Amino acid sequence: VKKMMDLWTRQTGYPIVSVKLKNNKLKLEQERFFYLKKKNKQLWYIPIEIYVNGKKEYYLMKTKKAEINVSGNISINKSQVGFYRVKYDNNIFNKLIKSNLDFTEKLGLLNDVYALCRGCYLPLENFFRLAYSYRNETNHTIWDDLSVSLGRITLSFSDKYKNELNKFKIKLFSNIFKKLGLEQKPSDKHTDILLRSNVLGILGSAEHKEVLNEAVKRFDEFLKGKKIDPNLRSVVYGLAAYNDGKEVFNKLKELYIKEKLQEEKIRLLLSLGDFKQKELLKETLEFSLSKHVRSQDTIYLITAIGVSDYADNLAWEFLKKNWKEFYKRYSDSHTMPNLIKACTLRFKTLDKLNDVKEYFKKHDVPTAKLAIRQILEIIQVNYNMVKYNESKLKDWLSNIIT
């Protein structure tokens, strides 16, 4: 026990266990997980939970490689009690995504596959195939996790593959949309209400005509005095902005300035970052530093534009242009690291990596040193992921949904 615990408590990181099955031999191999791959000789004693044809067994893996005699359907770390990621070979993976997995295994598999794709241990095709196999799912936690992962992938590929990603999202979310509908039902659980807002937001921003038209209709009715369901206000405001231009921009800004309730002000404020037109996004950035926006709320707008598919580098250039003001406001708080991250989340080229690196060589931020190192790593991870997957992404998405 001491030997095993020393390996887990006295060295950093955690392992991936690669799993292959051939001729009734389960072949396991461990290595340390890195988002940026590097050679490493670390080993752990890993208690491997193995389900064979639904029956649980344990095996203590002490070496880099191991072999176990098994026969049947395999699942590793099904209950997610082990602190390691699992990388299945294609044969096991293909069987798993066609199986009736329980909630815990679905969530664990989704988390592992996404992380392994980010680290270029697997192609993104695996993530998209797994995600699409969940299209009849009803659990809000799985949809939330899937939505976040899909959103992060979209940040890196929407400039070239927006149409393909939109078609995939519409196909993926169509069944849960049909189940939830546009209107709240008496039978809805709290989680259904939250999930509906998430689904409508994703479908609307993927150009789903019914959702977009309904959001615009409700916003127009709202301007004439009809109330919007409080659980859908953020979605309606955001999609009304996404679908329109200057007239709606002015109206949302006016509503924001007049509004007294802070929760509602935040909803209206965030919608100003949802427009497609760059000139309106630039105006939104300028507005973020105006007397109308509390300093603690400015970052909401910067973040919204930082992750916008239509803003390019606007948030980053705005940060540099107004560096003195941002430094004066936030240099001594946790807001500064979050602000810098918000402006650089979409970056995925070596030029941008060097731009950020050189800028912070000249502009020291003591409270954000760790965050800046993390940002540089994230940009490198984004670059690697794009380079590893870009040439085949269009075909993968098209093949999965046809």
Side-chain angles (χ1 to χ4, degrees), residues 228-246:
I228 303 173
D229 177 353
N231 296 300
L232 296 180
R233 282 180 195 161
S234 293
V235 175
V236 170
Y237 296 155
L239 293 180
Y242 182 80
N243 193 63
D244 216 298
K246 184 67 173 175

Side-chain angles (χ1 to χ4, degrees), residues 217-228 251:
K217 174 188 160 192
R218 292 191 187 195
F219 183 71
D220 289 341
E221 290 173 345
F222 167 71
L223 295 180
K224 294 172 185 175
K226 187 175 180 180
K227 291 183 178 180
I228 303 173
K251 193 63 192 175

